[in-house]
Amino acid sequence: QVQLQESGPGLVKPSETLSLTCTVSGASINILYWSWIRQPPGKGLEFIGFIFDSGSTNYNPSLKSRVTISGDTSKNQFSLKMTSVTVADTAVYYCARANLALGAVYIDFWGQGTLVTVSS
Amino acid sequence: DIVLTQSPGTLSLSPGERATLSCRASQSVYSSYLAWYQQKPGQAPRLLIYGASTRATGIPDRFSGSGSGTDFSLTISRLEPEDFAVYYCQQYGDSLFTFGPGTKVDIK
């Protein structure tokens, strides 16, 4: 069974950098696509970006200037860095796996999510 | 960029009733790239439907998806108590995911 677990600080100060890591078990990050998605309290889901099996990345255009996703295949982890955070970045952050099957692309496994609060 | 709109925003129904949720895209979406998720409070979303109409593993057959082009729907044939939740549609395009704003199905 594929499992994903987010880790990182739950509190970040405005203007600082948010850093989260997703540890994957039961699957290799060298296969398929791996993503970060966030959900502000009481709101909907927002896609942040992908790291693909090739190691390349793609980001939501609205966040692209502040976001970097990277992978560490030796630890089977991938990470999110978001710079210059504001209170609007307060959200539950999920890591997730995107599967490709029969021509479809969809998220089949999610982490439990971690709440990151931006506050001084 | 493709924008997904879901309607209604809230659907108030009783257990045993039929629920029909709509997802409309601002431009045509490849059906294989359309998925539906269910989210309950405090939980991560759960995949229900992918490829517009294929149920994910373990999803009861009371859930069905249909549609093509710009109009897609999720139907729950008979609501069970555990089905009251928020439902999101999502599409994949230009190597990005886009989510709809969600439809909340609550108990009438």
Side-chain angles (χ1 to χ4, degrees), chain A residues 33 35 37 39 43-47 50 52 58-61 94 98 101-108 110-113, chain B residues 1 30 32-35 37 39 42-47 49-51 54 88 90 92 94-101:
Chain A
Y33 304 165
S35 64
I37 293 155
Q39 185 171 37
K43 296 189 178 180
L45 301 165
E46 180 180 31
F47 172 76
F50 276 123
F52 299 104
N58 203 23
Y59 304 117
N60 184 329
Y94 294 101
L102 303 175
V105 184
Y106 53 89
I107 298 172
D108 59 354
W110 298 71
Q112 65 185 24
Chain B
D1 295 355
Y30 184 40
S32 290
Y33 291 168
L34 196 287
Y37 301 85
Q39 188 179 33
Q43 296 183 17
R46 176 175 71 143
L47 176 68
I49 301 286
Y50 65 91
T54 302
Y88 295 95
Q90 167 244 303
Y92 174 77
D94 295 327
S95 299
L96 301 169
F97 279 134
T98 306
F99 291 93

Side-chain angles (χ1 to χ4, degrees), chain A residues 65-119:
Chain A
S65 64
R66 299 194 292 127
V67 169
T68 302
I69 297 175
S70 59
D72 184 339
T73 55
S74 67
K75 296 181 180 179
N76 214 35
Q77 295 175 333
F78 63 104
S79 299
L80 170 70
K81 289 191 187 302
M82 181 180 292
T83 61
S84 304
V85 297
T86 70
V87 293
D89 295 311
T90 294
V92 174
Y93 285 75
Y94 294 101
C95 58
R97 185 181 84 166
N99 200 352
L100 291 73
L102 303 175
V105 184
Y106 53 89
I107 298 172
D108 59 354
F109 289 100
W110 298 71
Q112 65 185 24
T114 187
L115 174 63
V116 178
T117 301
V118 179
S119 174

